[in-house]
Amino acid sequence: MPEPPLRPASRLVDVSATGPADAWAVGYQDNRYGQVPTQPAALVRWDGRTWTERLLPAEFDSPAAISAVGPSDVWAVGQDDGLEPYAAHWDGTAWRGYPVAGRGRFSDVAARHGKPLIVGSRRAGGALVLEWDGNGFRELTVPGADTGSGSLQAVATAPGGAAFAAGFRYGDEAPEPMIVQRLGGVWRMAALPEVPGARLTGVHARSATDAWAVGTIDDSSTRPTPLIMRWDGASWQRVTPPIGSATLWAVGGDNAGTLWVTGANPTEPYGVSHPGSLFLRYQAGKWSVAYGPKVRAGDPFTAADPFLSAVENIPGTAAFWGVGTVADPARDHVAVVERVG
């Protein structure tokens, strides 16, 4: 795909699509060491032919996630220029900001299938969940998740009101996976298999009885282990990944049950020859490993592996958008968009 129209150093961190001719992606640009960017927040929109840059509210400093319900109903969250949590809504004509001072840090937003939800981490410690009440966001209580050192990294909703948020909390000095879920209108902590040293960073929900979460075990080591978990309506279970070593980051799915998981190849010497950006695909009940193209970057040109931090199905199609960044010796790093499937 063509490079998004952003200034280096740039990265796209999340993407949301409402159809083949409408998609949104957020991230940052001008993020060079020692420089103060004049417009750090990055927003690009797909119109079916090209990606064009759009503007967020001036005080929106660092977007973390975006969720589009339709072309005139889009939510973005992150932090403002005072480093406070911040949400903004697009109504088809203009963006309106909603500062949420004192809450903590926002990681993700899900606006489909009911009232918009925001997740992250509380300033005082513990997982943070907020819900839109028509005028602003109110904090919800999830017993057992709102204390300690937990953090939610991703949230997904499903038709009928089910919601799943994934992240991690610290046990005996090491992180362990954490999921909170809303079923039957009630929020609770999910019972999970013990996986010491693991963090969940992505979640996808097809229904109240079909959800997936992905992450990494010991992701600071030289040989990270991929983690995939599945909810079948009764319990969360670990799923054997189709690759032995990798860092997994995000998961997206379509209505037919196909999943795409983005990640990164293991560091050398465990993966000396990396074909390109890493994808795991689940289709018709089977897993496979797929790779996107390498990106030509720098001067002279070198082939580099993009890292895609988000992936989402394009409604009405079997294709997906993936967004992220790629290292560029001349420009630090540059935002990338890939279309897969």
Side-chain angles (χ1 to χ4, degrees):
M1 295 297 297
E3 183 180 306
L6 299 174
R7 298 183 300 278
S10 61
R11 177 176 182 170
L12 293 172
V13 297
D14 199 20
V15 63
S16 185
T18 69
D22 185 56
W24 304 72
V26 293
Y28 59 78
Q29 58 187 335
D30 270 354
N31 191 39
R32 292 178 182 270
Y33 179 75
Q35 295 185 5
V36 178
T38 57
Q39 182 192 328
L43 171 68
V44 291
R45 186 177 185 181
W46 173 256
D47 63 4
R49 296 179 300 172
T50 60
W51 289 93
T52 57
E53 185 177 7
R54 301 296 181 90
L55 295 179
L56 286 161
E59 67 272 17
F60 204 159
D61 183 84
S62 303
I66 192 165
S67 181
V69 182
S72 300
D73 187 3
V74 183
W75 284 93
V77 301
Q79 67 181 20
D80 64 17
D81 49 12
L83 305 183
E84 293 285 354
Y86 187 88
H89 180 251
W90 170 257
D91 64 5
T93 301
W95 286 94
R96 179 181 177 185
Y98 294 90
V100 196
R103 294 294 185 178
R105 181 182 63 84
F106 292 166
S107 300
D108 198 13
V109 58
R112 298 174 187 168
H113 313 303
K115 299 177 181 178
L117 293 171
I118 298 175
V119 300
S121 55
R122 301 172 70 238
R123 178 164 293 176
L128 177 66
V129 181
L130 298 101
E131 184 179 56
W132 177 253
D133 66 7
N135 296 303
F137 285 92
R138 63 183 182 92
E139 188 172 342
L140 304 181
T141 299
V142 182
D146 56 353
T147 59
S149 57
S151 176
L152 295 173
Q153 302 295 300
V155 61
T157 54
F164 302 86
F168 60 92
R169 60 179 178 176
Y170 278 89
D172 297 330
E173 299 183 355
E176 56 187 39
M178 175 175 64
I179 293 176
V180 300
Q181 54 196 35
R182 182 179 63 194
L183 298 170
V186 178
W187 284 96
R188 58 173 59 90
M189 288 274 289
L192 301 179
E194 292 187 7
V195 191
R199 294 178 174 86
L200 294 172
T201 52
V203 65
H204 165 72
R206 186 181 175 200
S207 70
T209 59
D210 185 9
W212 297 79
V214 301
T216 309
I217 307 170
D218 294 331
D219 61 349
S220 62
S221 71
T222 57
R223 191 171 175 83
T225 301
L227 175 63
I228 302 174
M229 307 184 79
R230 185 176 191 181
W231 168 256
D232 62 6
S235 64
W236 284 94
Q237 301 294 331
R238 290 185 64 176
V239 175
T240 301
I243 190 170
S245 182
T247 299
L248 301 186
W249 195 255
V251 56
D254 63 18
N255 289 333
T258 297
L259 298 177
W260 285 87
V261 179
T262 65
N265 289 285
T267 57
E268 297 180 7
Y270 302 105
V272 176
S273 178
H274 299 166
S277 50
L278 173 66
F279 295 96
L280 307 184
R281 180 173 58 192
Y282 181 79
Q283 191 172 45
K286 296 182 179 180
W287 285 99
S288 60
V289 179
Y291 293 92
K294 285 183 177 289
V295 174
R296 298 182 68 192
D299 186 13
F301 286 126
T302 58
D305 300 322
F307 177 80
L308 302 181
S309 51
V311 62
E312 171 152 325
N313 173 241
I314 304 171
T317 78
F320 288 69
W321 288 117
V323 301
T325 191
V326 65
D328 186 316
R331 298 178 291 174
D332 194 338
H333 54 282
V334 179
V336 294
V337 176
E338 291 188 13
R339 185 181 172 109
V340 299

